[in-house]
Amino acid sequence: MKSFYLKRIISMLITIILITTLTFTMMHSIPGGPFTRERPVPDEILRALNAKYNLDDPLPVQYLNYMKGLITFDLGPSYSKIGTTVNDLIESGFPASAKIGLMATVIIVAIGIPLGVISALKQNKPIDYAVMFLATLGITVPSFVVATVIIYFFAGKLGWIPSFGLSDPKGYIGPVIALAGYSLSFVTRLTRSSMLEVLRQDYIRTARANGIKEFSVIMRHAMKNALIPVVTYVGPMIAAILTGSFVIEKIFAIPGIGRHFVESVNNRDYTTIMGITVFYAVFYLIMVFLVDVAYTLIDPRIKFREEK
C-alpha cells in the first residue's frame, strides 16, 4: 500500500514537471512577447519592461527561475494586471468557480446516479424512455446554448434570476444548471448502461435465486460494480468543473478562474496561462489519485498489489 502511494506521488510529480516544461516551451515558442501589442511599444520601454520581469535573460535561466518559483508556490507576476501576481488571481477567482462547480457536482451525483439506476431497473418502460430522451438532449445541446436560453427566458423574460454576477444567491441557479447539464446527462446514461451490464451477471441471478430481497441485490451487490465506471468519470469531471468553465463564466460574467484564463490568453499573459495550467494539472492529478483510492472503498475486492 505504501509503495503504491509512493509510486503515484512520484508519478504525479514527474507529470507536473513535464506539463510545466511543455507549457513553458509552447509559450516561448509563440512569436512576439507578453508586451507585443497592435500599437508598437517604443524600444526603450520594451527593453525596460523585459528587464523588469527578467525576460531578457537566456531561456534556460528563465525556465530555472520559473521552476524555483513553482517549488515555493510562487507563480510569478501577471504581465497584464500590474501589481498583481498569478497567485492573487487564482486566490480571487477559484472560490467563485469552486462554489458553482461544487453545486453542479452535487446535482450531477445526487440526480444522475439515481436516474440511471431507475432507468436501468425500468428498462424499456415509459420512465426509461423519458429519462433517456432527456439525457440525450442534455448531451447534444451545448452548455453555451443552455446558458443563453436561461438568460433569455428566466432572466430576461420572466425576471426570476439575475442575468449576470453572483451578488444575489439566485445568480448561482443559471450557471449551475448550464454547467451541470452535460455531465448530469452523461452520468445518467453511464450509470444506466453499467447497471444493465451488472444486472445480467451470473452472481446477480444467483443472489436472486437464493431469495435475497431485491433491494439488497441492487444496493449491496449490483451498485458496487455498476458505480466503478461512474467514479472513473466523476473524479476528473470534478477537477474540470471546480476549476472553472471558461464559456459559462464568460456568459454569466462570473469573476472566476476561467475568466482570468481567457483574459490571459487574449493578453498573452504568459505567467498567468502557465500558472492556471499547472494549477489545473495538479488538481486533476489529485482527483485521479482519489478515484483510485475510491475503488477500494466501493469494492473491497480491489486491492493495491505490489509488483514482484
Side-chain angles (χ1 to χ4, degrees):
M1 182 72 78
K2 291 180 180 177
S3 173
F4 170 80
Y5 288 130
L6 184 61
K7 287 179 182 177
R8 290 305 307 268
I9 291 172
I10 293 174
S11 173
M12 289 166 64
L13 291 174
I14 293 174
T15 304
I16 291 170
I17 292 173
L18 289 176
I19 291 173
T20 306
T21 304
L22 183 62
T23 309
F24 182 89
T25 304
M26 290 177 65
M27 286 295 98
H28 288 81
S29 300
I30 299 173
F35 305 114
T36 302
R37 298 288 183 270
E38 294 180 1
R39 190 175 179 180
V41 179
D43 291 340
E44 294 79 8
I45 296 177
L46 189 59
R47 281 195 294 271
L49 287 171
N50 287 336
K52 175 179 173 60
Y53 292 105
N54 299 319
L55 295 175
D56 52 356
D57 289 341
L59 208 55
V61 175
Q62 292 184 46
Y63 173 75
L64 289 175
N65 289 333
Y66 186 78
M67 295 304 288
K68 288 178 184 174
L70 195 63
I71 294 171
T72 58
F73 303 103
D74 179 8
L75 299 175
S78 168
Y79 293 149
S80 61
K81 299 180 185 296
I82 305 302
T84 305
T85 65
V86 178
N87 295 56
D88 294 334
L89 294 178
I90 293 176
E91 288 175 9
S92 65
F94 183 64
S97 298
K99 283 181 186 176
I100 294 173
L102 191 60
M103 292 178 189
T105 301
V106 171
I107 289 175
I108 292 166
V109 175
I111 298 178
I113 293 177
L115 275 182
V117 173
I118 292 171
S119 184
L121 296 176
K122 302 294 182 182
Q123 187 184 16
N124 297 328
K125 299 287 179 60
I127 189 172
D128 179 32
Y129 293 136
V131 170
M132 284 302 98
F133 173 76
L134 293 175
T136 304
L137 193 66
I139 289 178
T140 53
V141 178
S143 60
F144 67 87
V145 174
V146 176
T148 305
V149 171
I150 290 172
I151 289 177
Y152 181 77
F153 282 107
F154 297 99
K157 294 291 184 181
L158 301 175
W160 290 353
I161 59 175
S163 59
F164 63 89
L166 299 175
S167 56
D168 188 329
K170 294 180 181 177
Y172 286 91
I173 296 175
V176 169
I177 293 175
L179 192 60
Y182 174 84
S183 295
L184 172 61
S185 305
F186 190 84
V187 166
T188 301
R189 291 183 66 88
L190 186 62
T191 305
R192 177 184 181 273
S193 61
S194 180
M195 196 70 184
L196 285 175
E197 185 178 348
V198 171
L199 290 175
R200 296 189 185 104
Q201 299 297 316
D202 291 338
Y203 69 91
I204 296 296
R205 294 194 189 97
T206 303
R208 285 171 170 166
N210 287 333
I212 299 176
K213 292 181 179 178
E214 185 65 16
F215 182 80
S216 298
V217 172
I218 300 301
M219 299 304 295
R220 295 183 59 186
H221 301 284
M223 283 288 285
K224 288 179 179 178
N225 288 330
L227 283 180
I228 290 177
V230 179
V231 171
T232 304
Y233 171 76
V234 168
M237 178 207 76
I238 292 174
I241 288 182
L242 261 65
T243 48
S245 168
F246 311 145
V247 176
I248 299 301
E249 290 183 2
K250 188 72 175 177
I251 292 175
F252 287 98
I254 297 169
I257 196 171
R259 194 179 73 169
H260 290 318
F261 187 79
V262 174
E263 290 177 353
S264 67
V265 172
N266 293 333
N267 296 323
R268 304 165 69 96
D269 191 347
Y270 292 175
T271 48
T272 303
I273 295 173
M274 290 190 292
I276 293 178
T277 302
V278 172
F279 178 76
Y280 175 78
V282 172
F283 207 86
Y284 182 89
L285 291 171
I286 291 174
M287 293 310 303
V288 171
F289 176 74
L290 292 178
V291 166
D292 290 341
V293 176
Y295 285 156
T296 61
L297 300 177
I298 294 173
D299 189 349
R301 293 175 301 173
I302 301 176
K303 298 292 183 184
F304 299 119
R305 294 179 179 175
E306 295 187 10
E307 296 181 0
K308 295 181 179 179

